[in-house]
Amino acid sequence: LDQYENAIDAFEYCIAIDEYNSMGHLGKGNSLVELKRYDEAIAFYKQALENDITDAEVYCNIAECYERLNNLNSAKYHYLKAIKLDKQLPDAFYGLGVIYKKQGRYRESEKNFLKAIDLDGFECLFHIELGELYLLMDKKDLCFQHYDKALEIDQTTSEIALDYAQAMVHFDETEHAVTLLKERLEKGDADHRFLYRISSYLFHLGTYEPAYHFLHQALEENPKAF
């Protein structure tokens, strides 16, 4: 029900009855994460671990909190702890890949993203992050390969197509970017951002008449987004 404050009250009652109630500590930690109270969430996750919980996913949760607090070293430490406990946990390898990417250690990042995909090849986010990494590494074919896979897995999220189109522009494939976004419109994706983006790309290509056409359409759809 997204009533996280009420959930916290209920979990606190569980903990008051039994201070070693691991599910109470985990539940309160999860609710605090939803409220972006990451420091507090970490404390309750660690309390759950002290109560004989050795679940790798709890270490993963702690790592994610540290990542959101931009404490990358602590995040990395806890992702590695999670992997030590469960070498088949794709989220831990993915999280480690994100940390390495933020640190500019692209080879290590690539290795961990590929491991996450090896364990779960149908998680769209893994392919998006790897596609973005290959964009940073200037590897066009691999970048496009993983954005293609992300679109294959998730055909409804507009941001994937928008990011893919921008990657195409980066690699001087602006015409293909226009084609991609036009195809999304033809398939019924009514996101006004496609119209603005197509207009921008067409202006870049010097085809002004169709660029103005899409710009006028975009302004009709959502003038505040201009």
Side-chain angles (χ1 to χ4, degrees):
L1 296 174
D2 294 335
Q3 296 179 16
Y4 300 113
E5 295 287 0
N6 289 335
I8 287 170
D9 289 343
F11 287 125
E12 284 178 343
Y13 191 74
C14 294
I15 295 167
I17 295 170
D18 176 10
E19 63 179 307
Y20 300 105
N21 187 311
S22 298
M23 295 306 296
H25 288 97
L26 286 174
K28 184 172 179 180
N30 291 337
S31 298
L32 288 165
V33 166
E34 295 294 339
L35 295 172
K36 299 183 179 180
R37 292 159 60 181
Y38 302 123
D39 283 314
E40 295 173 75
I42 288 168
F44 281 93
Y45 285 141
K46 287 185 174 180
Q47 186 62 53
L49 291 172
E50 289 178 10
N51 295 339
D52 295 325
I53 290 288
T54 56
D55 192 336
E57 291 190 6
V58 179
Y59 281 103
C60 232
N61 291 344
I62 293 172
E64 288 174 12
C65 287
Y66 277 122
E67 183 186 334
R68 291 172 184 177
L69 291 168
N70 205 34
N71 186 338
L72 300 186
N73 288 332
S74 293
K76 177 184 171 184
Y77 172 80
H78 286 87
Y79 279 130
L80 289 170
K81 289 277 286 186
I83 291 167
K84 186 176 180 180
L85 283 172
D86 184 356
K87 292 181 173 58
Q88 303 299 309
L89 185 61
D91 287 346
F93 288 100
Y94 165 75
L96 197 54
V98 170
I99 298 301
Y100 282 132
K101 189 173 86 168
K102 288 181 177 181
Q103 294 177 332
R105 297 168 62 180
Y106 295 157
R107 293 296 183 187
E108 292 97 328
S109 180
E110 178 188 21
K111 177 182 175 182
N112 282 278
F113 284 147
L114 288 171
K115 179 63 176 177
I117 288 170
D118 183 55
L119 292 169
D120 183 2
F122 294 97
E123 173 52 62
C124 184
L125 187 58
F126 298 170
H127 291 282
I128 292 170
E129 283 287 345
L130 187 51
E132 184 180 296
L133 177 66
Y134 283 132
L135 174 66
L136 294 172
M137 296 173 74
D138 217 30
K139 294 186 175 183
K140 180 174 78 169
D141 291 344
L142 290 170
C143 173
F144 289 4
Q145 174 186 324
H146 286 280
Y147 273 119
D148 277 330
K149 186 63 178 178
L151 278 178
E152 179 186 323
I153 295 168
D154 182 352
Q155 300 180 19
T156 59
T157 302
S158 300
E159 281 75 11
I160 300 172
L162 289 166
D163 289 349
Y164 190 6
Q166 195 59 31
M168 289 177 173
V169 171
H170 172 83
F171 289 111
D172 295 322
E173 299 275 358
T174 306
E175 291 182 358
H176 290 148
V178 171
T179 300
L180 170 67
L181 298 183
K182 282 182 176 180
E183 287 175 353
R184 296 287 298 195
L185 290 171
E186 289 168 2
K187 290 177 180 178
D189 194 332
D191 194 316
H192 67 273
R193 291 175 295 176
F194 290 156
L195 298 169
Y196 279 112
R197 193 72 69 83
I198 291 170
S199 173
S200 173
Y201 294 161
L202 289 172
F203 276 119
H204 176 74
L205 290 168
T207 50
Y208 299 114
E209 187 173 341
Y212 279 118
H213 169 74
F214 279 99
L215 178 57
H216 290 153
Q217 273 191 282
L219 290 169
E220 288 177 6
E221 289 283 336
N222 191 332
K224 292 182 180 180
F226 180 66

